[in-house]
Amino acid sequence: MAPGTIRPMTEADWPQVWEFFDETVQAGESYAYPLDLTSGQARELWTMRPPGQTVVLEESGTVLGSATMGPNRPGRGSHVGTGSFMVAPLARGRGVGRALGEYVVEWHREAGFHAIQFNAVVETNTAAVRLWQSLGFEVVGTVPEAFDSRAHGRVGLHVMFLRL
Ligand SMILES: CC(C)(COP(=O)(O)OP(=O)(O)OC[C@H]1O[C@@H](n2cnc3c(N)ncnc32)[C@H](O)[C@@H]1OP(=O)(O)O)[C@@H](O)C(=O)NCCC(=O)NCCS
């Protein structure tokens, strides 16, 4: 059973999200956000505005993870959605990422998107690659040496795609 409840992120959630956002970016294995973001700058980047949205998965008042979703490109690209995901390090491996991933796929389906594209999945991020593949995404291409992983050096970024 997936833990917690998924609901839109509020301002009050941000301090908890910021904690694992910063930890995840500094860990250096999954996201190419600037390394010196302030909390306010990160909130600006993580908060999606309509027609997109940002959600959290909360369990008993604790935010365990967060996801963004919405059109990948404006205008003539807006029928393809995208998403980003972060789970608090202590809450990983318990189904939070899968619950958020399933939510994001369903959200796009209900909103009438044609497909979902993840733009930059680090090829050495095994948990993410396996999770997205298990939800039906395929790797449609890999940009070589595009991510400077803290542990592995320059590795590829997968573009992953799911037709809805
Ligand atoms: C990737 C991430 C979102 C997964 O969240 P999670 O809550 O740990 O994942 P879950 O517990 O829901 O696991 C789902 C699946 O992921 C895969 N997975 C999770 N941890 C794994 C690990 N350590 N090794 C291999 N696969 C793993 C498995 O396929 C698992 O499938 P299962 O449900 O059959 O066990 C989370 O690890 C995270 O926030 N990582 C840092 C940020 C990031 O990588 N975001 C995604 C960028 S594309």
Side-chain angles (χ1 to χ4, degrees):
M1 247 321 250
T5 308
I6 297 175
R7 57 161 178 79
M9 182 175 82
T10 67
E11 260 188 66
D13 296 321
W14 179 252
Q16 291 191 68
V17 177
W18 166 240
E19 202 169 308
F20 60 75
F21 179 103
D22 193 39
E23 213 173 328
T24 301
V25 171
Q26 300 305 333
E29 300 304 336
S30 55
Y31 279 106
Y33 284 109
L35 295 169
D36 56 356
L37 283 180
T38 63
S39 165
Q41 289 167 331
R43 185 171 69 176
E44 210 33 49
L45 290 170
W46 195 252
T47 305
M48 296 298 129
R49 288 173 180 81
Q53 68 163 348
T54 302
V55 298
V56 294
L57 187 151
E58 177 205 323
E59 189 182 62
S60 316
T62 303
V63 176
L64 302 181
S66 181
T68 73
M69 65 212 80
N72 189 42
R73 308 286 304 155
R76 295 195 171 276
S78 62
H79 56 291
V80 177
T82 193
S84 296
F85 301 82
M86 288 199 194
V87 174
L90 284 174
R92 289 180 193 165
R94 289 180 46 199
V96 174
R98 179 177 293 283
L100 287 167
E102 286 171 352
Y103 179 97
V104 164
V105 170
E106 211 34 51
W107 181 87
H108 281 94
R109 210 187 291 282
E110 280 174 16
F113 282 84
H114 171 71
I116 305 174
Q117 173 179 334
F118 293 153
N119 298 302
V121 183
V122 177
E123 67 181 344
T124 45
N125 186 358
T126 318
V129 175
R130 291 217 186 127
L131 174 55
W132 309 144
Q133 283 172 333
S134 79
L135 294 180
F137 286 79
E138 356 163 24
V139 175
V140 293
T142 306
V143 185
E145 295 141 43
F147 185 83
D148 189 10
S149 145
R150 197 183 265 271
H152 308 282
R154 288 186 187 164
V155 295
L157 285 176
H158 292 321
V159 178
M160 298 190 73
F161 180 78
L162 175 70
R163 190 176 278 106
L164 295 172

